[in-house]
Amino acid sequence: MRPQKAGGLIAAAALAAGVLAGCTPTPGHDDPTAEGTPAATTSPTQTPVSVITGPRPEEQLLAVVLARHLENKGLPAAVGEPSAEPWGAAGEQQVAVVDTLAMATQLVPDLLAGEAPTPSPSPAASGSGTPSAAGPSSAVSATASATASPSAPPSDPAPASPTGHPTATGSPTPLPEGRPAADAQGTTAMVSEYFPEDTEVIGASSGTVRLQAVTTSALSGLYEMEELTDLNGLCDRMVFAPASAAAVHGERLDVLAGCEPAEWIEEGEAGAAVDLVTGRADVALLYGTDPAIPDHALEPLGDAGRVLPEGRVLMVAEPDVLPQGASDAVNEVAGKLNGEMLAELQRLATGPDRLPGEEAAQYWLVSAGLEETPENWF
């Protein structure tokens, strides 16, 4: 695979450099205390910029990317210990990497969930595509449907899904119109007031992280599911993952997509995408940038009405106390974090071809055009 090949060449280049240098290796990333680096030459006593992230592997790799890029600019930098609340570490000489969607889920879940519209009877059910005029949630759907069509016979249960879970027992329910969930700007606004005093956003990913309902291609083909609202009438025996999403997103799925799953399960050790492949779950809520989606040929369901929210990756710091040029260097990396490069970051950190931190960071920076391609790269 491509990263493996790159990793091998990086290692070979490093070995060759060591042989050429003899017994006096040139100080670099592997020896942050050594003298002779560009940063140390510029300011031997300067406190390194510390990059703090959350505990996820892709976030920790982004910290290595940022630290390496800062050092390439002649600014001493280090990777700090991961934190469950990295935003709290922003300030002084520390840059915090913040996933606004994850932060909002942790701090303001009710605000992130938003208001679900009050259901009211509608003369017609909406099973897919665009939501209809105001109609009932699934909590009152049986009564409302009977009122709308008292002579309509109940639908036969659908067959079992390929994963072994029977997935339907009734007709689609009427769906109300509702406000879209927060977009990236909205989640940023939700969390900004929780940043430490005097800190600012010094970089924001050019791409967003959108939460999406994902299923297998076999299941989407069997029930002709393309949109989130196509789950209407299919969810009452479905298994969803992860369970942690139920409290935040369950009501909107119920009211705006006609989807009240029979069960929410905690994701397995291998992740929610693997839960789909192995049949533990029928639908998983994943970031649309998750490389496991194409790797396992999974199908994200369209969400034109934005039932589920999106966020952005921010870099937060106190710019007035950072070394000159540090904010610009951080913003350079942020500008390269489009959807493709966010996915590449996760692939390098967690995929089957993952690389050691420094090699993965170099590979990412070269791919992003922020570091020169070494000789004999391929």
Side-chain angles (χ1 to χ4, degrees):
M1 297 296 292
R2 178 183 58 185
Q4 289 178 323
K5 185 174 183 179
L9 289 169
I10 293 168
L15 178 61
V19 172
L20 291 173
C23 297
T24 56
T26 302
H29 294 294
D30 293 333
D31 189 7
T33 62
E35 297 180 0
T37 64
T41 301
T42 302
S43 179
T45 61
Q46 188 174 25
T47 303
V49 175
S50 182
V51 185
I52 311 296
T53 71
R56 293 185 300 177
E58 60 268 28
E59 294 176 327
Q60 294 177 48
L61 175 56
L62 181 54
V64 180
V65 167
L66 286 165
R68 183 182 177 94
H69 189 59
L70 285 164
E71 290 191 336
N72 289 343
K73 296 291 185 178
L75 300 166
V79 176
E81 288 295 322
S83 170
E85 297 184 352
W87 51 88
E92 298 182 354
Q93 292 283 102
Q94 299 191 133
V95 176
V97 176
V98 177
D99 175 346
T100 62
L101 189 51
M103 183 176 175
T105 300
Q106 183 171 339
L107 294 183
V108 286
D110 292 341
L111 185 60
L112 180 63
E115 295 183 5
T118 301
S120 59
S122 172
S126 175
S128 63
T130 305
S132 67
S137 72
S138 62
V140 295
S141 61
T143 302
S145 297
T147 302
S149 304
S151 60
S155 297
D156 293 332
S161 76
T163 60
H165 301 290
T167 55
T169 58
S171 299
T173 61
L175 301 180
E177 293 181 349
R179 291 183 179 180
D183 59 7
Q185 182 177 357
T187 52
T188 297
M190 287 179 192
V191 303
S192 293
E193 64 180 283
Y194 293 91
F195 295 151
E197 188 177 359
D198 297 328
T199 62
E200 299 176 11
V201 175
I202 63 172
S205 65
S206 58
T208 64
V209 285
R210 179 80 177 268
L211 195 64
Q212 290 189 277
V214 179
T215 188
T216 62
S217 56
L219 193 61
S220 66
L222 180 63
Y223 296 111
E224 300 181 348
M225 294 188 300
E226 297 181 355
E227 300 292 323
L228 187 61
T229 48
D230 291 338
L231 289 168
N232 193 353
L234 297 175
C235 268
D236 55 350
R237 292 188 182 179
M238 275 189 167
V239 176
F240 273 50
S244 58
V248 181
H249 309 295
E251 185 178 9
R252 286 184 64 86
L253 286 171
D254 181 6
V255 174
L256 296 175
C259 179
E260 185 177 9
E263 183 182 0
W264 289 84
I265 62 170
E266 296 292 348
E267 63 180 305
E269 292 184 2
V274 175
D275 291 335
L276 296 177
V277 177
T278 58
R280 291 189 70 240
D282 295 299
V283 176
L285 300 188
L286 302 172
Y287 282 177
T289 54
D290 193 327
I293 295 175
D295 287 351
H296 294 293
L298 301 175
E299 295 288 339
L301 300 178
D303 186 12
R306 204 164 65 238
V307 174
L308 299 172
E310 70 177 358
R312 198 181 296 277
V313 178
L314 306 179
M315 291 78 177
V316 183
E318 195 173 345
D320 292 342
V321 300
L322 288 177
Q324 184 176 2
S327 293
D328 291 339
V330 169
N331 195 44
E332 278 186 325
V333 173
K336 298 294 184 177
L337 286 169
N338 57 21
E340 180 182 355
M341 295 307 286
L342 284 166
E344 183 74 351
L345 197 71
Q346 188 170 350
R347 188 183 302 278
L348 290 170
T350 64
D353 300 316
R354 58 185 175 274
L355 296 171
E358 277 293 335
E359 292 184 18
Q362 181 185 27
Y363 184 89
W364 192 94
L365 285 164
V366 170
S367 299
L370 294 176
E371 191 170 315
E372 290 187 6
T373 304
E375 290 187 27
N376 301 319
W377 183 247
F378 291 109

